[in-house]
Amino acid sequence: MAGKVHVETSINGEETEFLCEPRDTLLEVLRDNLGLTGAKEGCGNGNCGACSVIVDGRVINSCLALGVEAQGCEITTIEGVATAEGLHPLQQKFLEHAALQCGVCTPGFIVAAKALLDREPEPDEHRIRLWLAGNLCRCTGYDKIVRAVMDTAGTMKETA
């Protein structure tokens, strides 16, 4: 029987070490071992996006990755999106546009949208909808979410 594996990684800009079973998902490690409960388990099979995190610049479903695969990676979770100065503009626009209801999907949408805006600061509506297609919302519908992302892109462009 395999023992626990020691993993060294960077999470939200902080060097982090943890022990995990080889079979533990990254989502389990984040929530259960590290207390980062922002990423949610919506489906457990990669279809809903509620557990989205950014690993080395790519959005992934943390329910499909193993914790041991985090070795040497840079990970951003929803907890790392805001700064000490306050909310990220994307989080603020989600509030202003009422782009959330129950909140289960919200962290995944924000993390995925942040990854898009980091890569493409001025995406059009079609690109936003395509990029967020891996995230499901059962409450708000998608128009408010897309409008919040579009507004964020405009705001960030003005302040750049």
Side-chain angles (χ1 to χ4, degrees):
M1 183 164 140
K4 291 192 175 192
V5 177
H6 178 253
V7 177
E8 296 178 13
T9 188
S10 173
I11 300 177
N12 300 325
E14 293 185 28
E15 296 304 315
T16 305
E17 297 180 47
F18 58 84
L19 294 173
C20 67
E21 297 287 336
R23 68 178 177 270
D24 290 346
T25 67
L26 179 56
L27 178 62
E28 291 169 329
V29 169
L30 291 170
R31 293 182 59 82
D32 301 339
N33 297 22
L34 301 174
L36 298 171
T37 58
K40 308 294 187 228
E41 182 171 358
C43 66
N45 60 22
N47 284 309
C48 75
C51 66
S52 295
V53 297
I54 302 169
V55 177
D56 293 336
R58 292 183 55 224
V59 178
I60 69 160
N61 294 315
S62 61
C63 71
L64 296 181
L66 295 172
V68 296
E69 293 177 298
Q71 176 64 39
C73 295
E74 292 206 17
I75 300 170
T76 302
T77 68
I78 188 65
E79 290 88 351
V81 174
T83 65
E85 291 79 43
L87 295 177
H88 186 280
L90 196 50
Q91 292 169 308
Q92 186 60 44
K93 293 300 181 184
F94 263 65
L95 291 172
E96 290 173 14
H97 287 270
L100 59 138
Q101 280 187 15
C102 80
V104 171
C105 70
T106 306
F109 270 106
I110 290 174
V111 167
K114 180 185 182 314
L116 170 62
L117 295 176
D118 287 348
R119 183 180 293 214
E120 298 176 32
E122 299 180 53
D124 63 16
E125 180 179 345
H126 177 75
R127 181 68 174 144
I128 293 168
R129 288 183 183 277
L130 192 63
W131 187 273
L132 297 179
N135 295 75
L136 301 178
C137 175
R138 294 175 179 97
C139 300
T140 65
Y142 298 92
D143 288 332
K144 291 178 181 182
I145 293 168
V146 171
R147 279 190 238 121
V149 176
M150 291 176 67
D151 194 9
T152 303
T155 299
M156 292 177 74
K157 180 181 176 184
E158 291 171 10
T159 59

